[in-house]
Amino acid sequence: MLGNCIKNVRAAVPLVHNITNYVTVNDVANILLACGASPIMSDEPEDVEDITSICKGLNINIGTLNKRSIEGMFRAGKKAAALGHVLLLDPVGAGAGAFRTDTAEKLKKEIHFDVIRGNISEIKTLANGSKTTKGVDADVADAVTEENLDAAVAFAREFAKKEGCIVAITGAIDLVSDGEACYIIRNGRKEMGKITGTGCQLSGMMTAFLAANPEQKLVAAAASVCAMGLAGEIAWERMQEGDGNAAYRNRIIDAVYNMDEEILEKGAKYEVR
Amino acid sequence: MLGNCIKNVRAAVPLVHNITNYVTVNDVANILLACGASPIMSDEPEDVEDITSICKGLNINIGTLNKRSIEGMFRAGKKAAALGHVLLLDPVGAGAGAFRTDTAEKLKKEIHFDVIRGNISEIKTLANGSKTTKGVDADVADAVTEENLDAAVAFAREFAKKEGCIVAITGAIDLVSDGEACYIIRNGRKEMGKITGTGCQLSGMMTAFLAANPEQKLVAAAASVCAMGLAGEIAWERMQEGDGNAAYRNRIIDAVYNMDEEILEKGAKYEVR
Amino acid sequence: MLGNCIKNVRAAVPLVHNITNYVTVNDVANILLACGASPIMSDEPEDVEDITSICKGLNINIGTLNKRSIEGMFRAGKKAAALGHVLLLDPVGAGAGAFRTDTAEKLKKEIHFDVIRGNISEIKTLANGSKTTKGVDADVADAVTEENLDAAVAFAREFAKKEGCIVAITGAIDLVSDGEACYIIRNGRKEMGKITGTGCQLSGMMTAFLAANPEQKLVAAAASVCAMGLAGEIAWERMQEGDGNAAYRNRIIDAVYNMDEEILEKGAKYEVR
C-alpha cells in the first residue's frame, strides 16, 4: 500500500516550494527530482507568495534561518495555508538556541502544518520546551530505542494529537503518527548520520509525497520515511572499497531515482500500532 | 571551428564573477573549473565592484534573489559594463512571480547584457510579458520542437535583434541567435532535466566561453551549449547499473573536465540558419 | 605523532560552528563528518551566540561575506573567544577587494584567532597590506616553491610571531608555524586546485583537529594539512577513466572518511624547521 505513494509522486510531479538551509539545499533539490517531484527555492519575502502559489507544497526548514528568511517563512506559510497546500515544518536545531526554538514555536503557533518532522531532540523541545539537542543532531540520551519504544510511541501520538498534525520523529527507529495510528519504521542505516542533510532531504521528499497523496497523508508521510531509509540500505549495498560519506550521499539520491512502487512496497519495514 | 572555443578558455583561464543562486552555486563553481576557467562568487553590494573589476565576465542568475543581492547585481552589472566585461543574464523563474519578472526586466533595461540565457518560458516572459512558467522549468506547452522550429527560430532571432544581444534558449532543442544567424543545437539528453542546475552551470560556462573568445561571441555561446549537451551525452555513456541523477550530475562535470578541442569539435551537433 | 590527532577527533566528536561561504558549505559539512567531527552552520547575529556556545570551535570564512553575516562573525567570534573555544580565520579573497581585506583585518584585530589559514596571497595581504590576489586563488608570482622556501618559512614564522597565533599557508608546499617551529608539508596534488573549496574544507577540518587536540595545537594544525593533502593523494589513486574534478571532490572526502591514525602517520610528508 505504501508503494503506490511514490508512483503517485511520479505521476503528479508536484512542484514543491522549499525555504531551506543553504548547507543541504542542493541535495534537497536533487532528491526531489529523484523521487519524481519538482523543486523551487525562494526565501525573499517579496517573492515567496507568488512562488508558493504555483506550488502544491511548502517545506520550511530553519537550518540556517535569518531575519529576512524568517519573514519569508511566515509570508509563504500563510499564503500556502490559505491555498490549502501541504505544509511541512523541519525545526532544525530547535533546542540548540533560543532564536531557533522561538522561531519554530512561533511558526507552529501561527501556521497550521500538515507535518512536523525532526529528530527526537528537536521534537521534544517543541513538545516540552526542554533544550537538550547537541547541535543539529539528536542527543544520544533522547534516542528512540527498542527499550523505550512504548513510551516514545505514546509521546509521538500525544504530541500529534495535541498539535492536530502528523508528527514524524526520525532516528534509528522512526515514528510517524497522526495522533491515532503510529507507524514504527525500521528502514535505514546508522551510516546515514555521517552525511549532512539526510533529514533535510527527507523533509523535502515528504512534502512531495503528501502533495501527491492528499487523501492518505499519514501513509504518504510513512512511505517517504521508508523510501529514504530503504534508499540508504540499497545505496550501502552499492558501496565500493574506498567509498565514504560523499559516495554514500550520491548513492542514496541515486537509489531514490531508481525506486519504483514495487521496490518500495517490498523493502519497506514497518508496523502500525 | 566551435572546438577552439574551449581551447581558448583553457589558455586564458578567465576569472568569472557569479552572482548566482545558493541552490546550484557549488556546481557552477566546479563546472567553471572543469572547463578551464576560474570562479569567484560575491553578492554583497559593498564587495561586488572590486570583485568584478578583477574578472573578465559577470554571470547574473536570479534563482534565489533577495533585495540585498539584487542591489549587488545592479552595482556589479554597471561596473562590469563600464569595464567592457562580458555580461550574461540568467532570468531563472521569470514568469513564475512578479518580483522575479520585474527584476529581470529592470536588469535588462538598465544593463546591456552580451547574452540572455534561459528556458523558453523565461525568454517568452521577457519578450512578451506572458507568464507561463511552471516554476523554474519550462512549460511543456512552450517547448521548442521539430514541429514549431521555424517559428521558434524566428522568435529567437527577433528577440535577439530587438535586445541587441545574443539570446540562448535551451531545452530539448537549443537555439542561439545574435539577431542574424541562429544556431540550432541538438546535443544533450532529456535526463539532464532530472538534475538541478544544468542551466545555471551552462550560464557560468557560457560566460567563461565568451570572455575567452571576445571576437567570436556568438560562436562561443553556441560552443558552450554544445559542450554542455555533449557532456550530458558522454556522461550518460558512463552511467552504471544503479546510478541516478546524483551520479549523472558528477559525471557531466567530469565530462567537461575531460573535454578538449577535438572532442567538442567532433561531438557538436548543430546547424546554422 | 601526527596520526593520533585524527584519532582524537574521532574520539571527541567536536561540534564545530562554521560561518562559511555558501559555495562550498556542503563540502565543509561533509568533510567534518568524514573526519569524525560534527558540523553546525549559523550566521544570523541573533542565533550565533547560542550556537557557538554549545560548540568547541568556530571556523570563520569570509568567502561570501555580507553585512549581516559579518555581524554574525563578530558576535560569534567574541562569544567563542570568551568561552575559550578554538577560533580559525580563513580570509578568502583578502586582497581581491577592499571590503574583504578590511573585514579580515578588523576580525584579526578584534578577535584573537588560534589559526589564520589561507593561501600565500591572502596571508601576504594580511601581513603586508599588499593586494596581489587573483580572485580567490593564489597569485602565481607569490607561490611558495623550493627556490624561495627559506624566505617563505621566515615570512610564515615572523607573521605567526607577530600575530601570536598559528599561521597556515597552503599551496603546492604548505607551511604551518606558531612563530617558533615551522612545519613544511609536501602532501597533496596540484589537481586539488581544480576543485572548488579544498581550502574551505581544510579550514573546517583544521578547526576540528585543534578542538580535539587542545594541548598540541601546532601539531594538530599540521596534521590536518597532511590529512587533506594525503586524502588528495589517496583519492587520485582511486580515479577511474573518465573521472574529473567532480569525482575527485567526492573521492577526497571519502579518503578522509576512511583515514585512520595509521594511514595518516604513514602518509604524512613533512619536515619541521
Side-chain angles (χ1 to χ4, degrees):
Chain A
M1 194 178 82
L2 282 181
N4 73 347
C5 291
I6 193 166
K7 192 174 132 189
N8 292 340
V9 177
R10 296 199 190 281
V13 195
L15 187 57
V16 175
H17 178 194
N18 301 276
I19 303 182
T20 187
N21 68 76
Y22 57 81
V23 184
T24 65
V25 59
N26 184 269
D27 293 327
V28 171
N30 273 324
I31 207 158
L32 276 164
L33 288 161
C35 75
S38 186
I40 189 163
M41 278 68 178
S42 171
D43 58 21
E44 162 58 42
E46 301 288 317
D47 189 44
V48 293
E49 292 175 1
D50 277 356
I51 295 300
T52 219
S53 296
I54 58 169
C55 294
K56 297 291 182 197
L58 172 62
N59 168 31
I60 294 181
N61 172 309
I62 66 167
T64 52
L65 78 189
N66 61 58
K67 280 181 203 147
R68 179 181 53 71
S69 67
I70 291 170
E71 191 192 334
M73 291 173 193
F74 280 99
R75 287 180 66 167
K78 287 175 181 179
K79 184 74 177 181
L83 294 168
H85 293 178
V86 166
L87 281 118
L88 182 144
L89 174 64
D90 186 339
V92 179
F99 190 69
R100 288 173 188 243
T101 307
D102 294 351
T103 300
E105 295 282 12
K106 201 161 168 246
L107 282 165
K108 188 168 72 70
K109 199 172 154 194
E110 296 192 18
I111 297 163
H112 180 263
F113 290 93
D114 293 277
V115 194
I116 301 174
R117 192 215 66 81
N119 65 41
I120 180 69
S121 300
E122 291 157 352
I123 301 296
K124 277 197 176 168
T125 295
L126 295 189
N128 310 330
S130 71
K131 303 190 175 182
T132 60
T133 63
K134 187 205 171 195
V136 291
D137 296 315
D139 196 298
V140 175
D142 288 335
V144 177
T145 63
E146 299 294 348
E147 284 66 41
N148 65 18
L149 188 56
D150 286 346
V153 166
F155 164 73
R157 186 178 277 131
E158 195 181 331
F159 183 52
K161 188 170 279 176
K162 186 182 148 217
E163 297 294 332
C165 72
I166 296 168
V167 168
I169 301 172
T170 54
I173 300 172
D174 309 302
L175 306 176
V176 183
S177 178
D178 63 353
E180 301 295 330
C182 184
Y183 282 76
I184 301 169
I185 299 166
R186 291 186 175 82
N187 286 104
R189 287 190 64 92
K190 70 176 195 306
E191 291 85 356
M192 296 173 80
K194 298 295 270 185
I195 302 168
T196 192
T198 47
C200 307
Q201 291 175 49
L202 174 54
S203 288
M205 194 156 66
M206 191 180 283
T207 309
F209 271 60
L210 266 75
N213 294 277
E215 286 166 23
Q216 48 173 350
K217 286 183 180 170
L218 178 65
V219 178
S224 67
V225 174
C226 292
M228 190 75 203
L230 180 58
E233 296 168 24
I234 294 169
W236 192 258
E237 292 294 316
R238 295 187 65 235
M239 292 286 276
Q240 298 179 357
E241 179 78 26
D243 278 356
N245 59 334
Y248 195 32
R249 181 259 302 263
N250 291 314
R251 293 192 191 286
I252 288 173
I253 295 173
D254 287 352
V256 171
Y257 182 89
N258 288 299
M259 192 174 291
D260 62 16
E261 184 177 4
E262 198 188 328
I263 296 172
L264 178 54
E265 189 68 45
K266 214 167 148 179
K269 294 179 200 140
Y270 65 96
E271 58 177 302
V272 189
R273 283 199 199 166
Chain B
M1 195 177 82
L2 283 181
N4 74 347
C5 291
I6 194 166
K7 193 174 134 190
N8 291 340
V9 176
R10 296 199 189 282
V13 196
L15 187 58
V16 175
H17 178 194
N18 302 275
I19 303 183
T20 188
N21 68 76
Y22 58 79
V23 184
T24 64
V25 59
N26 185 269
D27 293 327
V28 171
N30 274 324
I31 208 159
L32 277 165
L33 288 161
C35 75
S38 186
I40 188 163
M41 277 69 178
S42 170
D43 58 21
E44 163 58 43
E46 301 289 316
D47 190 43
V48 292
E49 292 175 1
D50 278 357
I51 294 300
T52 220
S53 296
I54 58 169
C55 294
K56 297 290 183 199
L58 172 63
N59 168 32
I60 294 181
N61 173 309
I62 65 167
T64 51
L65 77 189
N66 61 57
K67 280 181 202 145
R68 179 181 52 70
S69 67
I70 291 170
E71 191 191 335
M73 291 173 194
F74 280 98
R75 286 180 66 167
K78 287 175 181 179
K79 185 73 178 181
L83 293 168
H85 294 178
V86 167
L87 280 118
L88 182 144
L89 174 64
D90 187 339
V92 179
F99 191 68
R100 287 173 189 243
T101 307
D102 294 350
T103 300
E105 295 281 11
K106 201 161 168 244
L107 282 165
K108 187 168 73 70
K109 199 173 155 192
E110 296 192 20
I111 297 164
H112 181 263
F113 289 92
D114 293 278
V115 194
I116 301 175
R117 192 216 67 81
N119 65 41
I120 180 69
S121 301
E122 290 157 353
I123 301 296
K124 276 197 176 168
T125 296
L126 295 190
N128 310 330
S130 73
K131 303 193 175 180
T132 60
T133 63
K134 187 205 169 195
V136 292
D137 296 315
D139 196 297
V140 175
D142 289 334
V144 178
T145 62
E146 299 294 347
E147 284 65 41
N148 65 18
L149 188 56
D150 286 345
V153 167
F155 165 73
R157 186 178 276 132
E158 196 180 330
F159 184 52
K161 189 169 279 175
K162 186 182 148 217
E163 296 295 331
C165 72
I166 296 168
V167 168
I169 301 171
T170 54
I173 300 172
D174 309 302
L175 305 176
V176 183
S177 177
D178 63 354
E180 302 294 331
C182 183
Y183 282 76
I184 301 169
I185 298 166
R186 291 188 176 82
N187 286 105
R189 287 190 64 91
K190 70 176 194 308
E191 290 85 357
M192 296 173 80
K194 299 294 271 184
I195 302 168
T196 193
T198 47
C200 307
Q201 291 175 49
L202 174 54
S203 288
M205 193 157 66
M206 192 180 282
T207 309
F209 270 60
L210 266 75
N213 294 277
E215 288 167 22
Q216 48 172 351
K217 287 182 181 171
L218 178 65
V219 178
S224 66
V225 174
C226 293
M228 191 73 203
L230 180 58
E233 297 169 24
I234 295 169
W236 192 259
E237 293 294 316
R238 296 186 65 234
M239 293 286 276
Q240 298 179 357
E241 179 77 26
D243 277 356
N245 59 333
Y248 195 31
R249 182 259 302 265
N250 291 315
R251 293 192 191 285
I252 289 173
I253 296 173
D254 286 354
V256 171
Y257 183 88
N258 288 299
M259 193 174 291
D260 62 17
E261 185 178 3
E262 198 189 328
I263 295 171
L264 178 53
E265 189 68 45
K266 213 167 147 179
K269 293 180 200 139
Y270 65 95
E271 57 175 303
V272 189
R273 284 199 197 164
Chain C
M1 195 177 82
L2 283 180
N4 73 347
C5 291
I6 194 167
K7 192 174 134 189
N8 292 339
V9 176
R10 296 199 190 279
V13 195
L15 187 57
V16 175
H17 178 194
N18 302 275
I19 303 182
T20 188
N21 68 77
Y22 58 79
V23 185
T24 65
V25 59
N26 184 270
D27 294 326
V28 171
N30 273 325
I31 208 160
L32 277 164
L33 288 161
C35 77
S38 186
I40 188 163
M41 278 67 179
S42 169
D43 58 22
E44 163 58 42
E46 299 290 316
D47 190 45
V48 293
E49 291 175 1
D50 278 357
I51 294 300
T52 220
S53 296
I54 58 170
C55 294
K56 296 292 181 197
L58 172 63
N59 167 32
I60 294 181
N61 173 309
I62 66 167
T64 51
L65 77 189
N66 62 57
K67 280 180 203 146
R68 179 182 54 71
S69 67
I70 291 170
E71 191 191 333
M73 291 173 193
F74 280 98
R75 286 179 66 167
K78 286 174 182 180
K79 185 73 177 181
L83 294 167
H85 293 179
V86 167
L87 281 118
L88 181 144
L89 174 64
D90 187 339
V92 179
F99 190 68
R100 287 173 189 243
T101 308
D102 293 351
T103 301
E105 295 281 12
K106 202 161 166 245
L107 282 165
K108 187 168 73 70
K109 200 173 155 193
E110 295 192 19
I111 297 163
H112 181 263
F113 289 93
D114 294 277
V115 194
I116 301 175
R117 192 216 67 81
N119 66 41
I120 180 70
S121 301
E122 291 157 353
I123 301 297
K124 275 196 176 170
T125 295
L126 295 189
N128 310 331
S130 72
K131 302 192 176 181
T132 60
T133 62
K134 187 204 169 195
V136 291
D137 296 315
D139 195 299
V140 175
D142 288 335
V144 177
T145 62
E146 298 294 347
E147 284 66 41
N148 65 17
L149 188 55
D150 286 345
V153 167
F155 164 73
R157 186 177 277 130
E158 196 180 330
F159 183 52
K161 188 169 281 175
K162 186 182 149 218
E163 297 295 331
C165 72
I166 295 168
V167 169
I169 301 171
T170 53
I173 301 172
D174 309 301
L175 305 176
V176 183
S177 178
D178 63 354
E180 302 295 330
C182 183
Y183 282 75
I184 301 169
I185 298 167
R186 292 188 176 82
N187 286 105
R189 288 190 64 92
K190 69 176 194 307
E191 291 85 357
M192 296 173 80
K194 298 295 270 185
I195 303 167
T196 193
T198 47
C200 307
Q201 291 175 48
L202 174 54
S203 288
M205 192 156 67
M206 192 181 281
T207 309
F209 270 59
L210 265 76
N213 294 278
E215 285 165 25
Q216 49 172 350
K217 286 183 180 171
L218 178 65
V219 178
S224 67
V225 174
C226 292
M228 191 74 204
L230 180 58
E233 297 169 22
I234 294 168
W236 192 258
E237 293 293 317
R238 294 187 67 234
M239 293 286 275
Q240 298 179 356
E241 180 77 26
D243 278 357
N245 59 333
Y248 195 31
R249 182 258 304 263
N250 291 315
R251 293 191 191 286
I252 289 173
I253 295 172
D254 286 353
V256 170
Y257 183 89
N258 288 300
M259 193 175 290
D260 62 15
E261 184 177 4
E262 199 188 326
I263 295 171
L264 178 54
E265 189 68 46
K266 214 167 148 178
K269 294 179 200 140
Y270 65 96
E271 58 175 302
V272 190
R273 284 199 199 166

